[in-house]
Amino acid sequence: MRCKRNSGRFARRKPRRLHSTLRRNMRKSTLDILRCPKCSASLALETNETADDVETGTLRCKECAATYPLTGGVARFVPAENYAHNFGVQWNMFSKTQLDSHSGHPISENRFDQYTGWREADLADRLVLDAGCGAGRFAEVALKRGARVIAIDFSHAIDAARANLRDKGDIDFIQADINALPFAPNTFPLAYCLGVIQHTPDPAISFRKLADIVAPGGRLAVDVYPAGWKNIFFVKYWIRPLTRQLSAERSYRLVEKIFPILYPVSQVVGRIPRLGHYLRYLIPVVNYEGDYPLDPRQQREWALLDTFDMWAPAYDQPQSMAALRGWFEKSGFEDIVTFHKGFFVGRGIKPTGSRR
């Protein structure tokens, strides 16, 4: 996806006024929307802390008595080790790389705007779900627009997001599984899931779970890796049967060894007139040269990050445009828009009469 060079617009835009009280931990009132992911019952908070925002405690289901720890200001509904462990490793190593506030360019902001289609007025003072927040690149954008954000991630990337964003606005951090969301149905007026669904065991089920917690009249935006015959030339799909068997740590060590050799080759190949942009996909490293307005050091850092990102996930399941549109239709969404902008992107509105 090519990014326009409009960093000047990014620099001139005045930030929205943030809420007067910036919180570092989970707010007690967030319990109102939380539910037990096992039985969907309400939760009670057990803690010795008296402040409105809580760093440590236990969430106990009022029906099935299941318990979930609240540690480091994060409610945790999944085991520490899970199939997304590699993403936790990735986003804690590259915790600031893709934040616009760190790169100095509106790369995440542009993608957020293009993919969601939401205006600043749509986000101001609205409850927004960031499903699969990683280190918080898109949550940062939503916060800047004045949204109240609930950021979730399956992996311990949630801790990187908290470190990055806990002082930037009204946000709660929750470690949870998209396929077992700890929220009441019909909760969120706005929800987005960018760069995530293809990395879940069953993307169609993951979408359906997200659709259920969007409020009637609410909006959902998602993207997926494009499926198509051209993927046979994408060398990452040749090597993934091997690299996905490695631990995240071993995979990263291997990337560190190979990247310095292959990245310069990718740069040379990528500069071949007309064909270079396509031929570089035959080399198993990422190369964003000419795509993003980053300096050479940043280009290399982004490329190293996303090389690891393409080698290590347990799941990488591209989807067709028809499948993406079908998810929205089967969940009863209206005003559905699908398009190709780097990824396949879909968004729609849940009917006001829907109570899925």
Side-chain angles (χ1 to χ4, degrees):
M1 182 180 69
R2 189 170 297 277
C3 175
K4 295 181 180 179
R5 295 177 178 267
N6 55 354
S7 56
R9 178 178 64 83
F10 177 72
R12 291 192 301 272
R13 176 177 286 175
K14 295 181 180 179
R16 288 186 53 84
R17 179 180 61 83
L18 298 178
H19 295 260
S20 58
T21 301
L22 297 178
R23 298 173 294 104
R24 294 177 179 270
N25 304 306
M26 194 191 85
R27 182 164 52 189
K28 289 179 180 177
S29 60
T30 303
L31 279 172
D32 294 343
I33 63 171
L34 291 179
R35 295 293 184 271
C36 175
K38 294 181 179 179
C39 73
S40 301
S42 299
L43 300 170
L45 173 63
E46 300 172 355
T47 181
N48 293 324
E49 299 177 29
T50 58
D52 177 61
D53 58 318
V54 180
E55 183 174 11
T56 60
T58 300
L59 297 170
R60 185 178 300 275
C61 177
K62 295 179 179 180
E63 295 292 334
C64 72
T67 59
Y68 309 96
L70 171 60
T71 60
V74 178
R76 304 181 191 271
F77 293 93
V78 296
E81 296 296 322
N82 52 60
Y83 72 78
H85 173 69
N86 63 287
F87 288 111
V89 172
Q90 169 181 316
W91 292 121
N92 279 280
M93 286 193 301
F94 296 92
S95 63
K96 296 186 181 299
T97 300
Q98 293 185 338
L99 296 179
D100 286 352
S101 59
H102 178 73
S103 73
H105 299 283
I107 295 171
S108 297
E109 182 178 29
N110 286 343
R111 180 170 161 190
F112 182 91
D113 289 346
Q114 292 167 356
Y115 285 19
T116 66
W118 302 337
R119 300 166 300 173
E120 186 166 355
D122 296 321
L123 289 153
D125 300 315
R126 302 291 297 282
L127 183 64
V128 179
L129 176 68
D130 182 329
C133 64
R137 63 183 296 194
F138 300 116
E140 181 181 56
V141 177
L143 286 173
K144 190 174 71 168
R145 308 280 174 79
R148 183 197 167 196
V149 178
I150 304 293
I152 71 166
D153 203 277
F154 195 27
S155 75
H156 62 278
I158 196 69
D159 296 299
R162 178 175 178 266
N164 285 332
L165 303 179
R166 61 186 181 179
D167 293 326
K168 292 194 174 184
D170 193 351
I171 184 167
D172 281 302
F173 304 94
I174 296 172
Q175 190 172 5
D177 183 357
I178 286 179
N179 290 337
L181 288 165
F183 303 111
N186 306 306
T187 292
F188 293 93
L190 298 170
Y192 61 88
C193 184
L194 304 181
V196 175
I197 282 186
Q198 63 271 350
H199 296 308
T200 64
D202 190 323
I205 290 177
S206 298
F207 179 91
R208 202 157 58 241
K209 297 294 184 179
L210 286 171
D212 285 344
I213 53 87
V214 174
R219 306 181 190 183
L220 175 62
V222 303
D223 65 15
V224 293
Y225 289 167
W229 65 268
K230 293 180 181 178
N231 284 354
I232 65 174
F233 299 107
F234 201 172
V235 75
K236 80 167 183 176
Y237 293 112
W238 306 355
I239 66 171
R240 271 188 46 75
L242 299 175
T243 58
R244 64 179 293 190
Q245 304 301 321
L246 303 176
S247 69
E249 292 77 11
R250 288 187 63 190
S251 180
Y252 183 70
R253 288 196 296 269
L254 184 59
V255 169
E256 278 190 309
K257 291 180 180 178
I258 293 177
F259 184 84
I261 300 170
L262 293 184
Y263 183 62
V265 176
S266 176
Q267 288 179 301
V268 172
V269 170
R271 293 165 188 165
I272 297 174
R274 297 186 180 180
L275 296 178
H277 180 81
Y278 303 98
L279 292 175
R280 67 186 186 184
Y281 286 102
L282 295 173
I283 301 170
V285 297
V286 174
N287 176 5
Y288 289 125
E289 192 172 67
D291 292 341
Y292 296 147
L294 301 168
D295 64 39
R297 181 194 61 78
Q298 290 174 319
Q299 290 277 1
R300 186 180 181 89
E301 184 177 331
W302 278 60
L304 180 60
L305 158 61
D306 279 346
T307 296
F308 178 57
D309 183 274
M310 77 177 185
W311 283 32
Y315 301 98
D316 186 322
Q317 305 184 80
Q319 303 294 315
S320 69
M321 189 76 82
L324 176 60
R325 188 174 189 87
W327 296 346
F328 280 93
E329 292 173 344
K330 289 177 183 177
S331 292
F333 278 72
E334 299 175 341
D335 297 327
I336 301 166
V337 175
T338 56
F339 58 94
H340 186 190
K341 185 73 174 179
F343 294 74
F344 286 165
V345 184
R347 57 186 186 236
I349 300 175
K350 194 172 186 177
T352 54
S354 175
R355 308 301 293 178
R356 271 182 61 88

